[in-house]
Amino acid sequence: MPSDLDPIFKPKSIAVIGVSRNPNKIGSILFKYLTESGLPLYPINPHLEEFMGYKAYPSVLEVPEEIDLAIISVPAKAVPQVLEDCVKKGVKGVVIISSGFGETGPEGKKLEEKLKEIIKKGKTRVLGPNTLGIYIPSRKIDGIFTLRERSPRPPAGMFAYISQSGAAGVAFMDYAAHYGIGISAFVGLGNKIDVTEAELMEYFAEDEETKAIALYLESIKDGKRFLEVAKRVTKKKPVVVLKGGRTKRGAVAAALHTGSLAGSDAVIEGAFKQAGIIRAYDEEEIIDFTKVLAYSKPMFGPNVAIVTSGGGYGVIATDYIESTPEKKGVGLKMAELTEETKQKLREILVPYASVKNPIDMTADVTDEQYDKTLEIVNEDPNVDGILCLALFQTPFVSEKLVDIVEKWCKHGKKPMVVVSIGGTYTQKMIKEMEQRHVPIYPSIWRGAKALRVLYDRGRYLKKVGAEGE
Amino acid sequence: MPSDLDPIFKPKSIAVIGVSRNPNKIGSILFKYLTESGLPLYPINPHLEEFMGYKAYPSVLEVPEEIDLAIISVPAKAVPQVLEDCVKKGVKGVVIISSGFGETGPEGKKLEEKLKEIIKKGKTRVLGPNTLGIYIPSRKIDGIFTLRERSPRPPAGMFAYISQSGAAGVAFMDYAAHYGIGISAFVGLGNKIDVTEAELMEYFAEDEETKAIALYLESIKDGKRFLEVAKRVTKKKPVVVLKGGRTKRGAVAAALHTGSLAGSDAVIEGAFKQAGIIRAYDEEEIIDFTKVLAYSKPMFGPNVAIVTSGGGYGVIATDYIESTPEKKGVGLKMAELTEETKQKLREILVPYASVKNPIDMTADVTDEQYDKTLEIVNEDPNVDGILCLALFQTPFVSEKLVDIVEKWCKHGKKPMVVVSIGGTYTQKMIKEMEQRHVPIYPSIWRGAKALRVLYDRGRYLKKVGAEGE
């Protein structure tokens, strides 16, 4: 079903309003990156005839062809006029990068109201103002204004990340790029004068490349509508929301930062749960949770098998699985392995291994034992999910362990989360696993929380009688 | 005051029992690493006359000189005899690397009892068996048997790490080496037939290079003695303990793994608190907490100032500071900045910055504004500690920010913790800060927890009327 947001995320042509002779200006940087898309581009600047080999126009009104998307990067005061032009021209989508609006005080707020008036005159859909931009790696559409040298972009992947915070958005992409965590889209929400988080959630619910949606919000525009949409969307795809301002002081800080008031936390907590939204509490959880939901099937029971080569780590993991959230845990259960499972494990592991959950294969573990153990555990009917500690320091384990955990994460009967702890070599293996869409975590705590999120997802789907996608 | 453990950690000569013609055997690897210490070394092997240029002896009894430390790496069954020789020779300290004792079952347990009998006959102090070994980077004593290619060693630094878990010990060193986190000593506890965690804690409390002590325990040998010692030690130096097995299932797993029973968690929680022990719950917290306690002064009040260039991150940090531990927070307070502070901040920051705590300097922040802001906040009498978000993605911030946060961490009036979030460039800056002993964390949550630990330490010192070191 075509959406009126398609011209923003799947444009067939793009105008950049505010390119400049100075290559360091935001408009010029944007234009340069957008040339990689291979789309027809229209640089807009009244003083230029040509820009980077493309014919330039003084205004979108002078462009003879249809324009799907216009990206605006001119001083705030000039935005109303160029937006007016876009509406007149019938440009379908606009992204306003320019800042200096509601976020700066009453003056800017007034200017923002002016933009809203202009939008009413036509059908143009507007993202922003004050947004980082958009980035769709699979289409090579890089409409983010920060320099790549400072803020690298992540590769193409399986979840959409929608951020109201600019700084957090840049840091997210930087982090994701470093680890090779891919995304289907990045969207900077900005001041939300037109396109809202609810619409974006709905839009990406229909996007085939997107398997899960992350929303980093500092305010919620229309709470009722947002929850209604979420309720629909979460039956299909997992939605993770990070909503800053859950304490009084935090809410005040959020209000100062975004100019809009945040709601009471207790209300939000309950409403999120009812709408099937998975809640994240910080910049790390939002990635950790969305990732595992995009990559893995849900977990339909609470019983976890822990597979480890370090006994001590097995103990820490067990403590986290079995403790309630109030007591620093995730409130799942340790699976009681069947006698058959234990017998089979005894046959393949060293005699001093522990075949009682947590399964401790010991430091003498081999790649093959990892493989066989995961095979056996996947067959155990008492197991609902697996936490696998893939440790690369032991002598008989090789890079093949990456293939093994990838295989069981993707093709095993049970959902599985992987934890690898260590330094330079381990970091390399972690990046490799990230690129292969293995839900991998560098600490036991983060891995345990990811399993819990899979369980929450499974429980929600069961409750509402949905299957997800 | 000399200690009878000095020969183990400050040996003047070392015998390695179990070197071999095969360079891949543990004894040979150990010997090779130990040559870097520049100490007199005695390779022991009845079949060798010479080893790596050192005169070899069939037994320690044949060595004409005094031996401070003997490291034993022979098959379990051969250990009683060589230990007997060590005792007879009057070797002062012994580290038994060999495994195959209590950790393997009843047979091994019997062998272990034999070792205890032998020790009783003399004054030789024994670490192990089944230990990873010892590593004192400042003395270039690397008595760890794992290959450096697989498990790199951290540099010299400010805290001692004592680990009962081998796998966790190796992973810790690997992680610390990767980030450049230095240690004063690493000690593998092993099966604790003689030297215990309590003694080691007491020993490193007297060690000048050690500013804090981390203990990763799977069991506690003599609880009463341990707590008595801890009570004494924590008045001088901070002690962080990670004790696996806090849930029933975790305790069973710990018992299976170490062969010794763990105590009830409620009892341990209370006892630790009373003894001034800071408790860590996982492999990440034990490093995070020990590090900040080694590098930073304690925090003597709960009031935190947050300094950030990303408004959204300021909100998340505020939520974590203000929420209680039951509600996903650390239970500190946001400081009320004085009017003077706010006025001074207004003078140096951009007009759209927020001078209300959290202080949001905005993405236009410069190195100099970071510096000035930290200077101003350090002067505010309402502030007890600082959480500084040093973000490297913004355009006007440079590598100099590392110097700036280092300066204020080390010379500011208030304790300060730094958080940097991001990818490749940020990781580089994080490593640089780690090497300079800045308490740096890659996530807001970990930074907030570190501040809380400084506050717990401050509160404890006040309560017991001690000053710490």
Side-chain angles (χ1 to χ4, degrees):
Chain A
M1 208 175 57
S3 153
D4 60 354
L5 297 185
D6 277 342
I8 296 179
F9 301 109
K10 296 173 182 170
K12 292 190 196 74
S13 60
I14 308 177
V16 178
I17 306 176
V19 298
S20 154
R21 271 197 193 93
N22 180 346
N24 299 321
K25 287 277 180 190
I26 285 175
S28 309
I29 294 168
L30 270 172
F31 193 91
K32 194 180 75 187
Y33 293 155
L34 285 167
T35 57
E36 295 168 4
S37 68
L39 293 169
L41 296 184
Y42 309 106
I44 309 293
N45 180 321
H47 310 298
L48 297 176
E49 300 259 309
E50 181 265 338
F51 185 76
M52 287 186 71
Y54 290 75
K55 179 170 166 40
Y57 297 88
S59 145
V60 288
L61 294 170
E62 310 291 322
V63 176
E65 288 87 15
E66 266 201 2
I67 299 172
D68 258 11
L69 172 63
I71 302 184
I72 297 176
S73 168
V74 297
K77 278 182 194 162
V79 172
Q81 184 54 55
V82 299
L83 183 61
E84 186 103 43
D85 292 351
C86 287
V87 173
K88 208 176 279 171
K89 163 78 179 167
V91 172
K92 291 170 197 155
V94 166
V95 175
I96 307 176
I97 301 279
S98 317
S99 59
F101 294 89
E103 79 281 6
T104 59
E107 279 294 306
K109 192 80 200 158
K110 255 188 244 166
L111 209 54
E112 206 171 283
E113 289 305 319
K114 223 185 223 170
L115 301 186
K116 286 187 194 168
E117 289 306 316
I118 295 165
I119 300 170
K120 281 185 194 156
K121 297 177 196 166
K123 290 187 174 169
T124 304
R125 299 307 313 271
V126 176
L127 184 72
N130 185 32
T131 158
L132 255 189
I134 57 165
Y135 171 56
I136 319 288
S138 64
R139 296 173 179 271
K140 295 193 175 158
I141 295 174
D142 182 352
I144 300 291
F145 72 80
T146 53
L147 279 171
R148 287 181 188 166
E149 296 85 77
R150 274 270 162 172
S151 72
R153 315 290 199 252
M158 296 167 71
F159 63 88
Y161 191 102
I162 297 156
S163 179
Q164 190 174 350
S165 162
V170 170
F172 156 71
M173 283 196 280
D174 185 15
Y175 177 95
H178 179 69
Y179 286 100
I181 299 170
I183 54 171
S184 56
F186 175 88
V187 187
L189 260 176
N191 296 5
K192 309 193 275 194
I193 61 167
D194 179 28
V195 176
T196 63
E197 56 275 22
E199 261 184 298
L200 291 172
M201 183 165 42
E202 200 148 37
Y203 181 78
F204 286 103
E206 300 298 325
D207 178 44
E208 277 193 17
E209 287 173 25
T210 300
K211 306 297 172 201
I213 300 164
L215 287 153
Y216 182 151
L217 303 175
E218 285 168 344
S219 64
I220 293 175
K221 186 99 181 184
D222 174 349
K224 204 169 149 236
R225 164 109 205 277
F226 179 78
L227 292 169
E228 276 167 17
V229 171
K231 227 174 233 175
R232 265 202 314 278
V233 169
T234 56
K235 280 178 190 140
K236 267 180 88 165
K237 288 183 185 173
V239 173
V240 178
V241 175
L242 168 56
K243 164 76 188 55
R246 60 191 172 93
T247 57
K248 230 186 231 174
R249 269 308 272 269
V252 172
L256 280 171
H257 178 53
T258 65
S260 58
L261 260 172
S264 125
D265 190 62
V267 174
I268 287 176
E269 177 76 31
F272 277 18
K273 202 168 254 176
Q274 244 201 323
I277 293 169
I278 302 278
R279 194 169 185 189
Y281 284 86
D282 62 41
E283 80 287 357
E284 208 169 69
E285 286 190 350
I286 189 172
I287 309 172
D288 284 358
F289 294 175
T290 311
K291 194 173 84 176
V292 76
L293 289 163
Y295 301 164
S296 176
K297 50 174 103 47
M299 190 165 131
F300 290 104
N303 301 296
V304 177
I306 296 171
V307 174
T308 181
S309 66
Y313 284 165
V315 174
I316 295 176
T318 301
D319 285 342
Y320 273 142
I321 293 295
E322 290 254 312
S323 298
T324 60
E326 293 74 30
K327 289 200 167 179
K328 297 189 194 287
V330 299
L332 293 171
K333 288 198 172 70
M334 290 294 285
E336 297 294 341
L337 303 178
T338 64
E339 279 311 315
E340 194 189 338
T341 297
K342 287 187 220 168
Q343 190 46 44
K344 280 191 197 155
L345 288 172
R346 262 182 222 112
E347 281 163 23
I348 60 150
L349 299 176
V350 292
Y352 40 95
S354 171
V355 300
K356 203 170 163 0
N357 193 14
I359 299 159
D360 177 9
M361 304 175 294
T362 84
D364 292 326
V365 69
T366 61
D367 290 337
E368 217 196 334
Q369 285 172 337
Y370 259 108
D371 192 24
K372 287 273 176 209
T373 299
L374 291 174
E375 185 181 346
I376 294 165
V377 173
N378 260 287
E379 292 299 326
D380 191 313
N382 294 351
V383 172
D384 298 310
I386 302 167
L387 182 63
C388 177
L389 280 104
L391 304 175
F392 289 93
Q393 291 94 0
T394 57
F396 312 118
V397 151
S398 76
E399 290 194 24
K400 276 185 204 150
L401 182 52
V402 170
D403 303 327
I404 293 163
V405 298
E406 182 189 14
K407 179 179 77 181
W408 290 112
C409 280
K410 290 183 178 164
H411 310 296
K413 289 182 184 170
K414 326 272 183 181
M416 177 166 114
V417 158
V418 184
V419 168
S420 293
I421 297 158
T424 306
Y425 184 77
T426 298
Q427 289 292 318
K428 208 179 123 198
M429 295 301 106
I430 285 178
K431 284 184 191 176
E432 183 63 35
M433 287 185 270
E434 290 284 13
Q435 280 161 33
R436 300 192 195 179
H437 298 156
V438 168
I440 169 77
Y441 299 92
S443 78
I444 298 169
W445 176 229
R446 288 168 69 180
K449 284 194 294 181
L451 262 189
R452 171 71 211 204
V453 159
L454 289 182
Y455 177 60
D456 286 342
R457 177 77 184 146
R459 227 166 35 151
Y460 177 75
L461 288 177
K462 259 209 260 179
K463 195 184 93 185
V464 298
E467 298 219 345
E469 262 186 3
Chain B
M1 208 173 59
S3 152
D4 59 353
L5 298 184
D6 278 340
I8 295 180
F9 300 109
K10 297 173 182 168
K12 292 188 196 77
S13 59
I14 308 177
V16 178
I17 305 175
V19 299
S20 154
R21 270 198 194 92
N22 181 344
N24 299 321
K25 288 276 181 189
I26 285 176
S28 308
I29 294 168
L30 269 172
F31 193 91
K32 193 179 77 186
Y33 293 154
L34 286 168
T35 58
E36 295 169 4
S37 68
L39 293 170
L41 296 184
Y42 308 106
I44 310 292
N45 180 321
H47 310 296
L48 295 176
E49 300 260 307
E50 183 264 338
F51 186 75
M52 288 187 71
Y54 291 75
K55 179 170 168 37
Y57 298 87
S59 145
V60 288
L61 293 171
E62 309 292 321
V63 176
E65 288 89 14
E66 267 201 358
I67 299 172
D68 258 10
L69 171 63
I71 301 184
I72 296 177
S73 169
V74 296
K77 278 184 194 159
V79 173
Q81 184 55 53
V82 299
L83 182 62
E84 185 104 45
D85 291 351
C86 287
V87 172
K88 209 177 277 173
K89 163 79 181 168
V91 172
K92 290 170 197 156
V94 166
V95 174
I96 306 176
I97 300 280
S98 317
S99 59
F101 293 90
E103 78 281 7
T104 57
E107 278 294 306
K109 193 79 201 157
K110 254 188 244 168
L111 210 54
E112 205 170 284
E113 290 304 319
K114 223 186 224 173
L115 300 186
K116 286 186 194 169
E117 289 304 316
I118 294 166
I119 300 170
K120 281 186 194 154
K121 298 180 197 165
K123 290 185 173 169
T124 304
R125 299 307 313 271
V126 176
L127 185 71
N130 186 31
T131 158
L132 256 188
I134 57 165
Y135 171 55
I136 319 287
S138 64
R139 294 174 180 270
K140 297 191 173 159
I141 295 174
D142 183 351
I144 301 290
F145 72 80
T146 55
L147 278 172
R148 286 182 188 164
E149 298 85 78
R150 274 271 162 171
S151 72
R153 316 290 198 252
M158 293 166 72
F159 63 88
Y161 191 101
I162 296 156
S163 179
Q164 190 173 351
S165 163
V170 169
F172 156 71
M173 283 195 280
D174 186 16
Y175 177 95
H178 179 69
Y179 287 100
I181 299 170
I183 54 169
S184 56
F186 175 89
V187 185
L189 259 176
N191 296 4
K192 309 193 277 194
I193 58 165
D194 177 28
V195 175
T196 63
E197 55 275 23
E199 260 183 298
L200 290 171
M201 182 165 44
E202 198 149 38
Y203 182 77
F204 285 104
E206 300 297 326
D207 177 44
E208 278 194 13
E209 286 172 26
T210 300
K211 305 298 173 201
I213 301 162
L215 287 154
Y216 183 150
L217 302 176
E218 285 169 346
S219 64
I220 293 176
K221 187 97 180 185
D222 173 351
K224 205 169 149 235
R225 163 109 204 276
F226 179 77
L227 292 169
E228 276 167 15
V229 171
K231 226 174 234 176
R232 262 202 315 277
V233 168
T234 56
K235 282 180 187 137
K236 266 179 88 166
K237 288 182 186 172
V239 173
V240 178
V241 175
L242 168 55
K243 164 78 188 55
R246 59 193 173 90
T247 58
K248 230 184 232 174
R249 269 309 270 269
V252 171
L256 280 172
H257 178 52
T258 65
S260 56
L261 259 173
S264 127
D265 191 61
V267 174
I268 285 176
E269 177 76 31
F272 276 17
K273 202 167 252 176
Q274 244 201 324
I277 293 169
I278 302 279
R279 193 170 184 189
Y281 283 86
D282 62 40
E283 80 287 358
E284 207 169 69
E285 286 190 350
I286 190 173
I287 309 173
D288 284 0
F289 295 175
T290 311
K291 193 173 85 175
V292 76
L293 289 164
Y295 300 165
S296 176
K297 49 174 106 40
M299 191 165 130
F300 290 105
N303 301 295
V304 177
I306 295 171
V307 174
T308 180
S309 66
Y313 283 164
V315 174
I316 294 175
T318 300
D319 285 342
Y320 274 143
I321 292 295
E322 290 253 313
S323 298
T324 60
E326 293 75 29
K327 290 201 166 176
K328 295 188 195 287
V330 299
L332 293 171
K333 289 200 170 70
M334 290 294 283
E336 297 293 342
L337 303 178
T338 64
E339 279 310 315
E340 195 189 338
T341 295
K342 288 188 218 167
Q343 190 46 45
K344 280 190 197 157
L345 289 173
R346 263 182 221 113
E347 281 162 23
I348 60 151
L349 299 177
V350 293
Y352 41 96
S354 171
V355 300
K356 205 168 161 3
N357 193 16
I359 299 161
D360 177 8
M361 303 176 294
T362 84
D364 292 326
V365 69
T366 61
D367 289 337
E368 217 197 333
Q369 284 171 339
Y370 258 108
D371 191 24
K372 287 275 177 209
T373 299
L374 291 173
E375 185 181 344
I376 293 165
V377 173
N378 260 288
E379 290 300 325
D380 191 314
N382 294 351
V383 173
D384 297 312
I386 302 167
L387 183 63
C388 177
L389 280 105
L391 304 174
F392 289 93
Q393 290 93 0
T394 58
F396 312 119
V397 151
S398 76
E399 290 194 25
K400 276 185 201 148
L401 183 51
V402 170
D403 302 328
I404 292 163
V405 298
E406 182 189 14
K407 178 178 79 181
W408 291 111
C409 279
K410 289 184 180 166
H411 309 298
K413 288 181 184 169
K414 327 271 183 183
M416 179 165 114
V417 159
V418 184
V419 168
S420 293
I421 297 158
T424 308
Y425 184 76
T426 298
Q427 290 290 321
K428 207 179 124 197
M429 295 299 107
I430 286 177
K431 284 185 193 176
E432 182 64 35
M433 287 185 269
E434 290 283 13
Q435 279 161 34
R436 299 191 196 181
H437 298 153
V438 169
I440 170 77
Y441 298 92
S443 79
I444 297 169
W445 176 230
R446 288 168 68 179
K449 285 194 293 182
L451 262 189
R452 172 72 210 203
V453 159
L454 288 182
Y455 176 60
D456 286 341
R457 177 76 185 145
R459 226 166 36 151
Y460 177 74
L461 287 177
K462 259 210 259 180
K463 195 184 93 183
V464 298
E467 299 219 343
E469 262 186 3

